[in-house]
Amino acid sequence: MNPSIRDVAKKANVSISTVSRVFNNPESVNQEMRERVLQVIEELGYAPNPFASGLRDNRSKVIVTMIPDIRNSYYAEMLSGIEEVALSNRYTVIIGNTIQNEERFLEYVKNFVKMKVDGLIFASTEITEFYQKNFEALKIPVILASTEGREWNLPSVRVNDYQASYEATAFLIQNGHQDIGFISGPTHAPIAGRERYEGFLGAMAAHELPTSEQNVVYSEMSFDAGYEAMAKLYAKMPHLTAVYAASDSMAIGAMKFLHEQGLEVPRHVSVMGFDNLEISRMVSPGLTTVAQQIYEIGKTAGTMLFQAIENREEELQSVTIDHEIIVRGTVRNRRLMMDGGDGAFRVFV
Amino acid sequence: MNPSIRDVAKKANVSISTVSRVFNNPESVNQEMRERVLQVIEELGYAPNPFASGLRDNRSKVIVTMIPDIRNSYYAEMLSGIEEVALSNRYTVIIGNTIQNEERFLEYVKNFVKMKVDGLIFASTEITEFYQKNFEALKIPVILASTEGREWNLPSVRVNDYQASYEATAFLIQNGHQDIGFISGPTHAPIAGRERYEGFLGAMAAHELPTSEQNVVYSEMSFDAGYEAMAKLYAKMPHLTAVYAASDSMAIGAMKFLHEQGLEVPRHVSVMGFDNLEISRMVSPGLTTVAQQIYEIGKTAGTMLFQAIENREEELQSVTIDHEIIVRGTVRNRRLMMDGGDGAFRVFV
DNA sequence: TTGTAAGCGTTATCAT
DNA sequence: ATGATAACGCTTACAA
């Protein structure tokens, strides 16, 4: 059996309250006594029993992060960021792998209530009324990471997807591309879907490039779906010179399709992604993409959450994290191109 | 405040012991009464307070999985498997992201002791005496996943790395390759390093193919290190026709290097990996590799752990999980090749 | 500044 | 079959 507070008290010749105070309010106890107690604590290797403290003040020092799938490196990265701040705040983080399934979500929530987790970081699935209701019932602080809940006034940490998507598209245009196809996520996805879609449209319009349903194809945000989407897009736009995909997974699926068609990237078709997953630098050529500071998003969400836990009243503000375009090898500059591969010399406006 | 067992008892007009029994030993309570209590439990939304039960029987229903890095999809996959069994056993799993750092490990362990976690799954770092000592001190069941601790008689779940590596090498040989370079992990890594290295050597020897230090290059098991290793290997063996890397990450790093040198895979050089990470099907061409059933490893480790937790005395046996060679597009068959790319027709023995 | 004692919610032992 | 009660280890009024 582990030593209890009573063992420490006895051995140090003080009352158990004194021992407790040494932990929770050290200043309030006489230096000499404190040192004696600390000494004994050390000797006995005493540590407070978390169940007992939890029972008293109903706090677990545990937070939970809910993500659709751990195997997706986007979330793994975010989790790393959350973990870092958690560890330094002496919190433990547990993971809820929801796989975008409401039933599974409920299963977890039941568990969390039972475990009395102190806070929740919810990542990247659309916030429907269903989720919102459950958050409310949980009665613990909730931070959204890479999702948005403006409708319900939930604090969030995320990238400005519209702006980033606009810039990605503009980058392609500045490189001389006009026939640009867009592989969109599902438009019902509030962030990665809708906003990136509109960012694309916005940039095209701003550069007076016409767009129509011909330019875009909708897809789930996975590698396989990206592959299929590229097939459809290519059928619709055989003349395209560039493809912009709303996620790296899709972009890499698209590259796979192009490769299989004997189309070289970027010689024949340029490709631009979004997310900067680790894999984007592993493929050949490296994928030019929009980098989210995913780790940073996790850290910030964690920090905000702890703040909310410590100080329940204060209203939290949503935060936007910077993004950046990472230029690697999949976008060809058609403007100052000496040799387009077909031997011709061209300068576009 | 949440309803307590007392609230239920009062409302159902029974004693708290009866309510407790309804949870822990339902048969022992009269049907009629049980139903009445269940009814009230439902109405009040009562759930037992985990701190209180924990305080009683010193069990947290929490297990921990320690891995070097969550961002590595190998571990993410394994974790998914562990999670599945945990959820169905009503356990919660928390993650310790050690990043192969002893200090960090200790920080976590301290936390675990405090949290009274019920068991530990330890994945894929060499078991040194340091770890072994700490495991012992923890006094909870420990299962090794994709590592080995024969020296200390710790139960493990893993692939037969020697055998798998032997087969991977043999596959290359059967495809007509003789000048095969091997990118090895660090040989001090007990599994992925040493055994895969020896599997390579074993297969080469069995087919009477000479090997020397010329054939192998040692590397950390990462993408970047694989890239560098390929550069070194190519310098040593410019005539090689195939490269076998002890991990997919390294294999893909190697492919990147080859691509940059203008060497086509598999036309000029064949590549074989190990692990079957998700990324191995994403690259072009898809990587031929050895598949570990990583998810299965996780599930098995979890199952064994729960078994050990429930039944402390029983000795656990180590388990070997099947592996399989996944043929994709990076290995060229040099035996029945009509056109080797150089127009020549060849049949090797 | 220090100590005493009540109470957190549960389970298990013992009576009934 | 059911109920009363002690015990788990800690924190915090309150008393000294």
Side-chain angles (χ1 to χ4, degrees), chain B residues 35-340:
Chain B
E35 272 163 16
R36 187 162 38 146
V37 171
L38 249 14
Q39 168 84 26
V40 175
I41 285 173
E42 179 78 12
E43 282 172 28
L44 261 40
Y46 165 77
N49 180 318
F51 296 130
S53 340
L55 184 54
R56 278 289 310 187
D57 57 40
N58 239 0
R59 286 273 209 93
S60 59
K61 290 280 220 172
V62 169
I63 65 163
V64 57
T65 303
M66 300 210 71
I67 55 182
D69 189 1
I70 252 225
R71 283 174 282 190
N72 181 323
S73 44
Y74 183 92
Y75 299 109
E77 177 90 17
M78 179 189 288
L79 211 47
S80 274
I82 295 171
E83 261 235 316
E84 188 195 306
V85 286
L87 198 64
S88 66
N89 283 271
R90 330 209 120 257
Y91 269 78
T92 303
V93 15
I94 68 183
I95 294 171
N97 213 1
T98 59
I99 319 191
Q100 277 154 334
N101 170 336
E102 297 198 347
E103 209 167 324
R104 184 101 184 236
F105 172 82
L106 282 176
E107 182 104 21
Y108 270 110
V109 164
K110 238 169 37 194
N111 235 305
F112 299 154
V113 180
K114 291 215 291 208
M115 293 189 63
K116 309 237 177 217
V117 304
D118 294 336
L120 169 63
I121 292 176
F122 190 85
S124 232
T125 224
E126 192 183 3
I127 304 296
T128 59
E129 193 172 353
F130 167 80
Y131 288 107
Q132 146 68 10
K133 280 264 166 66
N134 275 286
F135 293 160
E136 236 167 47
L138 234 32
K139 295 198 173 94
I140 54 176
V142 175
I143 307 284
L144 268 23
S146 294
T147 336
E148 203 188 16
R150 225 191 311 250
E151 223 178 311
W152 291 284
N153 197 31
L154 291 164
S156 67
V157 182
R158 55 188 213 81
V159 136
N160 184 333
D161 281 86
Y162 175 88
Q163 179 64 22
S165 188
Y166 183 104
E167 289 172 21
T169 310
F171 178 81
L172 252 14
I173 297 170
Q174 277 144 24
N175 276 272
H177 295 276
Q178 308 197 171
D179 294 317
I180 304 175
F182 179 55
I183 302 180
S184 174
T187 41
H188 61 261
I191 304 298
R194 185 100 233 144
E195 297 202 11
R196 292 183 194 170
Y197 171 71
E198 282 170 359
F200 167 73
L201 256 33
M204 292 294 275
H207 292 80
E208 290 169 2
L209 259 18
T211 45
S212 72
E213 279 305 308
Q214 283 303 306
N215 294 266
V216 9
V217 87
Y218 303 90
S219 163
E220 289 304 310
M221 290 210 156
S222 68
F223 169 78
D224 293 311
Y227 178 96
E228 298 299 338
M230 186 66 233
K232 281 190 213 133
L233 187 61
Y234 192 59
K236 296 209 295 191
M237 295 181 72
H239 55 291
L240 57 72
T241 69
V243 179
Y244 163 40
S247 84
D248 283 355
S249 310
M250 292 193 295
I252 287 165
M255 280 171 74
K256 180 108 186 174
F257 175 83
L258 293 169
H259 180 90
E260 286 182 11
Q261 299 300 306
L263 262 18
E264 272 178 50
V265 174
R267 193 152 79 109
H268 301 115
V269 179
S270 291
V271 176
M272 175 115 204
F274 198 115
D275 282 343
N276 195 31
L277 298 188
E278 196 183 9
I279 182 182
S280 62
R281 56 188 264 278
M282 297 188 172
V283 291
S284 299
L287 180 64
T288 295
T289 189
V290 177
Q292 300 194 46
Q293 300 180 67
I294 312 176
Y295 192 85
E296 197 59 32
I297 291 177
K299 271 179 68 171
T300 307
T303 307
M304 283 168 64
L305 184 60
F306 294 126
Q307 199 175 317
I309 291 173
E310 305 301 337
N311 189 348
R312 298 295 291 257
E313 18 276 309
E314 194 180 322
E315 268 299 299
L316 283 170
Q317 298 300 315
S318 289
V319 168
T320 301
I321 302 290
D322 287 343
H323 59 266
E324 157 188 25
I325 288 182
I326 306 286
V327 178
R328 284 193 275 249
T330 53
V331 175
R332 169 179 160 203
N333 189 338
R334 287 174 63 91
R335 287 186 179 242
L336 306 167
M337 184 72 49
M338 296 299 293
D339 170 14

Side-chain angles (χ1 to χ4, degrees), chain A residues 146-165:
Chain A
S146 294
T147 336
E148 203 188 16
R150 226 192 308 252
E151 225 178 310
W152 290 286
N153 197 33
L154 292 165
S156 67
V157 182
R158 55 189 211 81
V159 137
N160 184 333
D161 282 85
Y162 176 88
Q163 179 64 21
S165 188

Side-chain angles (χ1 to χ4, degrees), chain A residues 9-216:
Chain A
K10 192 174 295 173
K11 184 150 183 193
N13 250 305
V14 295
S15 74
I16 61 171
S17 13
T18 300
V19 179
S20 177
R21 274 190 281 260
V22 167
F23 274 91
N24 302 297
N25 196 7
E27 309 79 40
S28 78
V29 28
N30 184 311
Q31 160 123 15
E32 181 198 352
M33 232 176 189
R34 184 171 54 208
E35 272 163 15
R36 185 161 40 144
V37 171
L38 249 14
Q39 167 85 26
V40 175
I41 286 173
E42 179 77 13
E43 281 170 30
L44 261 40
Y46 165 76
N49 180 318
F51 298 127
S53 348
L55 185 54
R56 278 288 309 186
D57 57 39
N58 239 2
R59 286 273 210 91
S60 60
K61 289 282 220 170
V62 169
I63 65 163
V64 56
T65 303
M66 301 209 72
I67 55 181
D69 190 1
I70 279 213
R71 283 174 282 188
N72 181 323
S73 42
Y74 183 92
Y75 298 109
E77 177 88 19
M78 180 189 289
L79 212 47
S80 273
I82 295 171
E83 261 234 316
E84 189 196 306
V85 287
L87 198 64
S88 65
N89 283 272
R90 328 208 122 258
Y91 269 76
T92 303
V93 14
I94 68 184
I95 294 172
N97 213 358
T98 60
I99 318 192
Q100 276 154 336
N101 170 336
E102 296 197 347
E103 209 167 324
R104 184 97 185 240
F105 172 82
L106 283 177
E107 183 104 20
Y108 270 110
V109 164
K110 237 168 40 192
N111 235 305
F112 298 155
V113 180
K114 292 214 291 207
M115 294 189 62
K116 310 239 176 214
V117 304
D118 293 337
L120 169 62
I121 293 175
F122 190 85
S124 235
T125 223
E126 191 182 4
I127 304 297
T128 59
E129 194 173 351
F130 167 81
Y131 288 107
Q132 144 68 10
K133 281 262 166 66
N134 274 285
F135 292 161
E136 234 168 47
L138 235 34
K139 294 196 175 96
I140 55 175
V142 175
I143 307 284
L144 268 26
S146 294
T147 336
E148 203 188 16
R150 226 192 308 252
E151 225 178 310
W152 290 286
N153 197 33
L154 292 165
S156 67
V157 182
R158 55 189 211 81
V159 137
N160 184 333
D161 282 85
Y162 176 88
Q163 179 64 21
S165 188
Y166 183 103
E167 288 171 22
T169 310
F171 179 80
L172 252 15
I173 297 170
Q174 276 144 23
N175 276 272
H177 295 276
Q178 307 198 169
D179 294 317
I180 304 174
F182 179 55
I183 301 180
S184 174
T187 42
H188 62 260
I191 304 298
R194 185 101 235 145
E195 297 201 12
R196 291 183 195 171
Y197 172 70
E198 283 169 359
F200 168 72
L201 257 33
M204 292 294 274
H207 293 81
E208 289 169 1
L209 258 20
T211 46
S212 72
E213 280 305 308
Q214 282 305 305
N215 293 266
V216 6

